[in-house]
Amino acid sequence: MNDSVTTGQPANDAAQDAGPAPAAAAQQEARPPRDRKRGPRAGDVQPTLEKLAALHPQLFGAVFRPLKRGIFQDLLAAHPDAFEKEALKDALAFHTRSTRYLTAVAAGQQRHDLQGQAVEAMAPEHVHHALLEVFRRRQARSAEDLRPKLRDRIVQAVEASGLSGEDYAQLVRGRDEAANALLDEALAVAAERRAKDEALRRAFEASGASVEAFAAMYGLDPRAAARSLERAQRASPAA
C-alpha cells in the first residue's frame, strides 16, 4: 500500500470527547508547552494508563475495547479524585491512537462503557478511518503490497455498515486520492457481490429447497452459499 493511503487523522474520538481541560492561566504558564502535532509521549502518560488499567481492566487491560463517547466525563465522575484532567485527556489521546485500539475499532467492535458493556455501534466512518490507519502502519513495516487486503477489508466494512455504496462514500471519502481510489475499487467489488448475492437469494427462494440441497443443485459450497444468502438478506430492503 502506498504511504499516501492515510486517514488524515486517527480515530481518537474518545480523546476528542475529552474536550479542552480548563486551567488557570498561571497553571498553563507553569507547564512547558506540549508539542500538539506530536501528541503526548508514552512516558508522560504511562502512570495514568496504568491507573486506568487497574481500575478498568476490561477496557484498558490485556484486551482493548472501543470506548463510548463521553468516556472522559464518565471517568472523572466515577473517580473524582483519581485523575488530573489534563493527564487523563493526554492518556486517552495516547490510548486511542495506539495500533491495538485502532485495530479494535477497525474490526467494527461496539463501543463500551466503564462496566465493559457494549452500549453503541461504531460509526462506519470511524471503522473506515481506523482501517486506513492500521494498514498504513502495517505497510510501513512490510515489503508486501497490502492494498488488496485493505480493499477486501473495506468491502467487509461496507457490507457491515448496511449503507448503500453512495452513502458510505459520502461518509468516508477524503482528500487522499490513493485512499479514494482504493475506496472506489472496494465499492465496485461490494456492488458486484451484492448483485450476485441478490440473484442467488431469488433463485434460492424460488427453489423451495434447503440451503444444502440448493447448494448441491448449483454445485456451490454450502457454507459459501449460506454466507451469500445471509449477506443478501441483510442487504434486502425488506430486512
Side-chain angles (χ1 to χ4, degrees):
M1 182 172 62
N2 191 305
D3 284 343
S4 64
V5 180
T6 62
T7 66
Q9 57 183 359
N12 59 327
D13 36 76
Q16 292 171 355
D17 286 341
Q27 290 177 316
Q28 297 236 349
E29 291 174 359
R31 295 195 186 106
R34 290 185 301 155
D35 185 341
R36 294 291 179 180
K37 184 175 182 180
R38 182 194 63 196
R41 292 174 298 182
D44 299 335
V45 301
Q46 194 63 34
T48 304
L49 289 173
E50 291 175 355
K51 188 180 295 186
L52 286 169
L55 291 170
H56 299 283
Q58 70 275 27
L59 296 179
F60 302 95
V63 177
F64 286 8
R65 290 186 171 87
L67 305 173
K68 71 178 284 286
R69 287 174 285 191
I71 202 77
F72 174 78
Q73 290 82 2
D74 292 349
L75 284 165
L76 290 178
H79 311 287
D81 301 319
F83 300 103
E84 192 271 330
K85 288 185 178 181
E86 190 77 12
L88 179 59
K89 182 173 67 173
D90 285 351
L92 287 175
F94 188 87
H95 177 78
T96 56
R97 289 181 184 130
S98 70
T99 299
R100 288 173 63 193
Y101 183 87
L102 290 174
T103 298
V105 175
Q109 295 183 27
Q110 289 187 297
R111 294 181 180 275
H112 292 68
D113 62 15
L114 291 184
Q115 288 69 49
Q117 300 298 315
V119 294
E120 60 179 319
M122 184 64 63
E125 60 268 31
H126 293 161
V127 174
H128 183 85
H129 293 310
L131 273 172
L132 293 182
E133 180 62 19
V134 169
F135 272 83
R136 183 190 68 81
R137 297 179 187 185
R138 289 177 178 170
Q139 186 65 79
R141 303 190 303 270
S142 175
E144 177 188 0
D145 182 2
L146 299 179
R147 281 178 296 181
K149 292 181 179 179
L150 175 55
R151 182 198 60 205
D152 291 345
R153 289 292 304 277
I154 294 174
V155 170
Q156 294 172 17
V158 173
E159 293 173 344
S161 74
L163 298 172
S164 68
E166 181 179 353
D167 289 342
Y168 186 90
Q170 286 181 350
L171 280 178
V172 307
R173 192 178 298 279
R175 298 178 180 178
D176 189 314
E177 294 184 2
N180 289 338
L182 200 59
L183 169 64
D184 290 336
E185 288 183 27
L187 291 174
V189 171
E192 181 179 359
R193 187 152 77 174
R194 183 174 295 182
K196 289 181 178 178
D197 289 344
E198 177 60 18
L200 190 71
R201 182 183 72 84
R202 293 185 179 186
F204 169 71
E205 292 178 351
S207 72
S210 66
V211 173
E212 291 75 13
F214 176 78
M217 288 168 52
Y218 286 88
L220 302 173
D221 177 80
R223 290 175 296 180
R227 287 195 296 269
S228 295
L229 292 170
E230 183 180 354
R231 286 197 303 266
Q233 184 63 29
R234 289 199 307 267
S236 173

